Amino acid sequence: MNQPRKILIAGIGSAHGDDQAGWLVAEHLAARIRDCGDIKIRKAMIPLDLLDWLDGVDILHVCDACEMTPCPEKLHRFTWVAAQWMKSDQCREADIHVRLRSPGSGGSHDFGLIEVLRLAAETRQLPQQVIIWAVEGLDFNPEGTISSFARIAAGQAADAIFNDLRIHDA
Amino acid sequence: MTETRTIRVEALTRVEGEGGLHVRLNGTVVEDVQLSIYEPPRFFEGFLRGRPLEEVPDITARICGICPVAYQMSAVHALEQALGVVISPEIRRLRRLLYCGEWIESHGLHMHLLQAPDFFNAASGIELAARFPNEVTRGLKLKKQGNELLEVLGGRAIHPINVAVGGFYRAPKKDELRKLIPGFEWGLQAAIDATRWVAGFDFPDFERPYEMISVSHPDEYPMNEGRVVSTSGLSIDVSEYETAFAEHHVAHSTALHSLRTTGQTSYHVGPLARVNLNREKLCDTARRVADEVGFKSPCFNPFQAIIARGLEVIHAFDEALSILREYQPFSPSRIAWKHRSGEGCAATEAPRGLIYHRYQVDEAGKVVLAKIVPPTSQNQRQIELDLIDWLPRIMGTDDQKTADECERLIRSYDPCISCSTHFLKLTVDRVTASVGGTR
């Protein structure tokens, strides 16, 4: 019998406007998924937090806000396959990469999400499956409220992750 | 014709915050070095005024995501002095435990991801991890232990929310702390191994005539209180800090430069200063490892601060384990106090060095004045003077290599520009009478 796979859902965010989207996704899912040993839902303040939570994780879903892109879709899904980011919508990976809110300039305060995942890969901590959900935001003002635009996109992300989990479960 | 050139580092990497470096060379003579901190000032001291003093620990924690505990602790100690609050020994031990967590996570990060890559010409911690996966993984796990402690005791790893004037909003349960013990037992040995690893790096032969400053306590390794002492014989009460040190504006930086009032000289704060001035207060294990790896005291080589950090991580795990094993829940977790007008100051040791806070509060409990001197403000001028000495040794025709070597020295300080305001870009001017070069 197959061992149940351990899943971590991490919402990265801050209290600044639409950057709350990652946290909101985590809150939506926490309300819908009963706490169980195989699925953990956590809210991160910086991408580097993820490295503390990866022990034994098979599937990682990361939700983070990103800046507006020229694409029609406002929710973007990427998967890490054989050390490559695979896109699943019309938006170019590079476009999302530069627009993620934590792009990472190398300082310890701002290790970006991509850098953290690459570090996890180099240290053999990266789960077998990694899915990034990038939620587009409009306004990232300090201490600002989340826009209805990002709130809706965060809800869509939560629905999409929930569906993914059901597929895994099946 | 004398050739003058300017080297610019537009943005320093692997330091906290954003800033730049501007070097002006006249032939082989270094004419000027400016550590330019160009981030806008953050005005924490200004917007603390008028706020209820109860909010100060949570507001000052926001100055830094890596060393919030030092800001919180300096603030609560100063405010408790202003209010005449005397905390219990149990609260004091928990505060030292919180410090241990911060030192472990901050030093663990800097040693492995920020400074260690410099000794292997690796551009980043990721590149280093490809070559030393076990060592970097160990470093990340060390950091994780610190973060877990901060989560349990502080409420969360970044910007803890459990620190209050008078103590803690909530004392942890015994089980919550006991669960950390196995990880910390692993951490102590891992810290020893990490320190042995970094002590084997190839260090540049570079020593500087520093006046090193740290807090010093007769009974313990300095974290949260003590006198302010130096390698030049200074020994003053914290209340005299502002007579011995003063901050100055410089045109090229939004962060103030702190200098000794006597002679307007620079000084050096940080783990190297702490170990040099308090080596005998390190735990037995840390002292034994220091002897084993041949770490001499005093050490005036800034690159070897990475070894001092390792020794402090060993000490932090050792002291934390002692507190974790002996912990018994206690009450009250917070000493009661009443508003009154007063003034208080405190100096504690952030991972990057001595930090000083002073507050005046009124009878309604509002902050009237706040003064905060972070470690990086104190090290800024010293870093510039180090570079003036360092540049002739590493300068070549390749400006990029020169810039890289400058960054390497700066990183050894683990500067936190976010604290001092923010940090780093390098520019080097190499100009002939008719040629101006800027990268």
Side-chain angles (χ1 to χ4, degrees):
Chain A
M1 195 170 75
N2 288 338
Q3 289 277 349
R5 290 193 289 182
K6 291 193 174 177
I7 299 169
L8 172 66
I9 300 164
I12 301 172
S14 70
H16 309 312
D18 289 351
D19 203 30
Q20 295 170 69
W23 288 354
L24 195 56
V25 174
E27 288 166 9
H28 277 313
L29 288 166
R32 294 168 70 174
I33 299 169
R34 279 187 303 174
D35 190 29
C36 71
D38 296 329
I39 301 178
K40 295 282 184 198
I41 301 170
R42 302 202 62 158
K43 289 160 71 174
M45 294 182 78
I46 55 173
L48 211 50
D49 287 342
L50 296 180
L51 292 181
D52 289 348
W53 306 332
L54 295 180
D55 277 354
V57 172
D58 301 301
I59 301 171
L60 169 65
H61 288 269
V62 186
C63 322
D64 199 1
C66 73
E67 293 181 14
M68 294 287 284
T69 66
C71 318
E73 299 295 326
K74 299 308 170 196
L75 172 65
H76 308 275
R77 182 183 190 277
F78 294 96
T79 52
W80 174 276
V81 178
Q84 297 291 324
W85 290 108
M86 306 297 287
K87 63 180 186 291
S88 58
D89 61 20
Q90 299 304 308
C91 202
R92 290 184 305 123
E93 176 196 336
D95 198 25
I96 295 292
H97 194 304
V98 298
R99 288 165 188 267
L100 278 170
R101 288 296 295 168
S102 302
S105 64
S108 63
H109 277 188
D110 52 6
F111 261 82
L113 175 59
I114 306 301
E115 287 74 20
V116 165
L117 294 174
R118 291 198 197 288
L119 185 59
E122 294 292 356
T123 53
R124 300 166 198 143
Q125 298 178 77
L126 201 66
Q128 295 163 10
Q129 285 186 44
V130 178
I131 302 116
I132 289 188
W133 301 86
V135 179
E136 289 194 15
L138 289 166
D139 184 351
F140 298 92
N141 278 333
E143 306 294 335
T145 54
I146 187 167
S147 67
S148 57
F149 176 87
R151 188 179 290 278
I152 291 167
Q156 291 170 346
D159 290 343
I161 294 171
F162 191 72
N163 286 334
D164 262 29
L165 296 176
R166 290 166 66 185
I167 291 166
H168 290 312
D169 206 28
Chain B
M1 182 189 303
T2 303
E3 180 192 1
T4 305
R5 61 180 186 168
T6 300
I7 300 175
R8 298 177 193 277
V9 172
E10 295 297 337
L12 281 181
T13 58
R14 305 209 309 277
V15 296
E16 286 90 0
E18 294 165 9
L21 181 65
H22 178 274
V23 175
R24 184 175 174 84
L25 305 169
N26 189 343
T28 57
V29 176
V30 182
E31 284 193 334
D32 193 24
V33 171
Q34 294 183 347
L35 203 53
S36 306
I37 292 180
Y38 51 78
E39 286 280 339
R42 297 169 73 199
F43 301 119
F44 269 84
E45 292 155 315
F47 63 69
L48 278 168
R49 282 185 217 146
R51 306 294 300 188
L53 67 89
E54 292 87 344
E55 294 181 359
V56 175
D58 290 333
I59 293 175
T60 53
R62 295 296 178 141
I63 293 173
C64 184
I66 297 293
C67 49
V69 171
Y71 283 93
Q72 292 185 315
M73 287 298 159
S74 305
V76 295
H77 290 168
L79 289 166
E80 285 162 5
Q81 187 185 69
L83 297 165
V85 178
V86 179
I87 60 166
S88 65
E90 292 83 4
I91 291 170
R92 190 176 189 281
R93 279 171 71 77
L94 274 193
R95 284 182 172 176
R96 282 188 71 85
L97 184 60
L98 200 58
Y99 267 97
C100 289
E102 177 162 285
W103 281 17
I104 290 167
E105 59 90 9
S106 178
H107 283 353
L109 178 75
H110 187 261
M111 288 168 67
H112 295 86
L113 291 186
L114 306 184
Q115 194 180 2
D118 283 332
F119 294 93
F120 299 96
N121 293 318
S124 68
I126 299 168
E127 195 177 316
L128 187 74
R131 293 161 63 183
F132 296 95
N134 295 336
E135 287 80 0
V136 173
T137 301
R138 181 179 62 206
L140 292 170
K141 286 185 176 175
L142 284 168
K143 178 183 178 299
K144 179 181 176 180
Q145 304 303 321
N147 281 348
E148 286 184 349
L149 173 54
L150 291 174
E151 278 187 31
V152 170
L153 189 50
R156 61 189 187 194
I158 300 171
H159 304 139
I161 48 173
N162 194 25
V163 172
V165 177
F168 291 88
Y169 288 109
R170 171 185 171 275
K173 295 174 183 166
K174 189 172 181 176
D175 282 356
E176 290 175 318
L177 291 188
R178 289 199 71 83
K179 280 181 189 167
L180 298 173
I181 291 175
F184 272 64
E185 287 172 339
W186 170 87
L188 177 57
Q189 184 56 49
I192 293 168
D193 294 340
T195 305
R196 286 175 177 150
W197 180 55
V198 300
F201 291 173
D202 188 14
F203 293 98
D205 183 13
F206 181 68
E207 293 200 336
R208 295 276 299 144
Y210 296 122
E211 179 178 19
M212 292 189 157
I213 307 278
S214 87
V215 172
S216 188
H217 189 281
D219 303 321
E220 61 195 13
Y221 197 72
M223 285 180 182
N224 48 338
E225 63 177 305
R227 292 175 68 78
V228 177
V229 303
S230 88
T231 48
S232 301
L234 177 79
S235 178
I236 56 171
D237 187 82
V238 176
S239 61
E240 300 171 89
Y241 177 89
E242 289 178 58
T243 63
F245 307 92
E247 291 180 302
H248 304 269
H249 264 299
V250 291
H252 60 272
S253 176
T254 53
L256 300 172
H257 278 198
S258 182
L259 301 173
R260 296 276 276 114
T261 50
T262 308
Q264 302 288 292
T265 51
S266 61
Y267 57 98
H268 177 124
V269 299
L272 209 51
R274 283 194 294 264
V275 173
N276 279 339
L277 288 159
N278 304 278
R279 181 168 174 151
E280 74 284 2
K281 300 296 186 316
L282 284 167
C283 69
D284 291 346
T285 308
R287 274 189 281 120
R288 193 175 64 245
V289 172
D291 293 341
E292 173 198 313
V293 301
F295 186 74
K296 66 171 188 174
S297 284
C299 171
F300 292 100
N301 183 335
F303 296 100
Q304 293 188 336
I306 195 170
I307 305 174
R309 284 188 187 91
L311 297 172
E312 289 192 333
V313 175
I314 295 171
H315 178 92
F317 272 110
D318 186 276
E319 181 166 345
L321 270 171
S322 168
I323 298 170
L324 291 171
R325 287 171 177 146
E326 295 169 12
Y327 178 71
Q328 296 293 335
F330 62 93
S331 184
S333 64
R334 185 162 38 130
I335 304 299
W337 49 268
K338 290 182 178 174
H339 289 148
R340 75 177 197 191
S341 63
E343 180 170 351
C345 62
T348 77
E349 287 287 347
R352 287 152 194 84
L354 187 149
I355 179 172
Y356 172 80
H357 285 219
R358 177 166 63 88
Y359 298 93
Q360 286 176 3
V361 294
D362 64 19
E363 61 279 2
K366 298 287 175 57
V367 175
V368 176
L369 176 145
K371 180 179 178 66
I372 299 170
V373 184
T376 299
S377 290
Q378 299 179 82
N379 276 334
Q380 253 192 114
R381 182 56 185 153
Q382 190 62 68
I383 294 171
E384 291 179 344
L385 294 175
D386 281 8
L387 288 165
I388 289 171
D389 193 3
W390 179 236
L391 271 158
R393 303 171 193 233
I394 49 95
M395 201 163 48
T397 52
D398 184 338
D399 283 356
Q400 184 58 53
K401 283 186 179 172
T402 303
D404 290 346
E405 286 294 328
C406 288
E407 283 196 80
R408 185 182 177 197
L409 173 62
I410 294 163
R411 268 196 295 273
S412 72
Y413 277 82
D414 191 13
C416 191
I417 294 162
S418 306
C419 294
S420 64
T421 159
H422 268 109
F423 211 26
L424 190 61
K425 290 185 175 184
L426 168 56
T427 61
V428 179
D429 275 341
R430 295 174 195 261
V431 187
T432 61
S434 56
V435 179
T438 298
R439 287 186 302 105

